[in-house]
C-alpha cells in the first residue's frame, strides 16, 4: 500500500470514528427533543385531540432520559413529537372535512 493510500485509509477511519462519536446524543439533545415533543403534545391537547400513544412515548422518553440513555430518549422524544404532530394534523384536517362525508 502506498503512503498516500495509507494516509487516505487512516483519514477515512478517523472520519468514521468521529462521526460515530458525533451521533451519540447528549443530555442537551434529549432536553431539546423532549421540550419540542411536549410543546406539540400541548398543542394537540388544546385542539382536544391528544393521542394516548403520544403520552406513552413521552413517558418512555423520560424514563430513558432519567436512566441516562440519551440515544433512546432522543429517539422516543422525536417519535412522541411526530405522533403529536400527526394528531394536530388529524384535528385540523378533520375540522371541516367531516362535512364532505355527511350524507345529504
Amino acid at each position: 500500500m502506498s503512503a498516500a493510500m495509507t494516509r487516505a485509509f487512516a483519514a477515512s477511519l478517523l472520519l468514521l470514528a468521529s462521526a460515530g462519536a458525533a451521533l451519540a446524543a447528549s443530555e442537551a439533545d434529549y432536553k431539546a427533543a423532549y421540550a419540542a415533543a411536549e410543546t406539540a403534545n400541548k398543542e394537540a391537547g388544546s385542539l382536544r385531540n391528544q393521542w394516548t400513544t403520544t403520552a406513552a412515548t413521552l413517558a418512555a422518553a423520560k424514563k430513558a432520559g432519567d436512566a441516562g440513555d440519551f440515544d433512546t430518549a432522543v429517539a422516543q422524544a422525536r417519535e412522541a413529537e411526530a405522533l403529536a404532530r400527526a394528531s394536530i394534523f388529524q384535528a385540523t384536517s378533520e375540522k371541516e372535512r367531516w362535512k364532505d362525508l355527511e350524507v345529504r
Side-chain angles (χ1 to χ4, degrees), residues 7-17:
R7 282 193 300 270
F9 181 72
S12 298
L13 287 177
L14 182 60
L15 181 62
L16 288 172

Side-chain angles (χ1 to χ4, degrees), residues 34-60:
Y34 192 85
E38 273 193 323
T39 300
N41 194 38
K42 287 179 184 174
E43 184 179 345
S46 71
L47 296 171
R48 302 182 70 198
N49 197 41
Q50 283 178 307
W51 291 354
T52 57
T53 54
T54 306
T57 308
L58 271 172

Side-chain angles (χ1 to χ4, degrees), residues 21-88:
L23 295 178
S26 68
E27 185 175 5
D29 296 332
Y30 156 65
K31 287 183 177 181
Y34 192 85
E38 273 193 323
T39 300
N41 194 38
K42 287 179 184 174
E43 184 179 345
S46 71
L47 296 171
R48 302 182 70 198
N49 197 41
Q50 283 178 307
W51 291 354
T52 57
T53 54
T54 306
T57 308
L58 271 172
K62 180 153 181 46
K63 183 177 179 182
D66 290 345
D69 184 1
F70 298 121
D71 289 331
T72 301
V74 168
Q76 292 289 330
R78 288 181 179 157
E79 182 179 346
E81 182 182 7
L83 289 168
R85 297 217 176 275
S87 67
I88 292 166

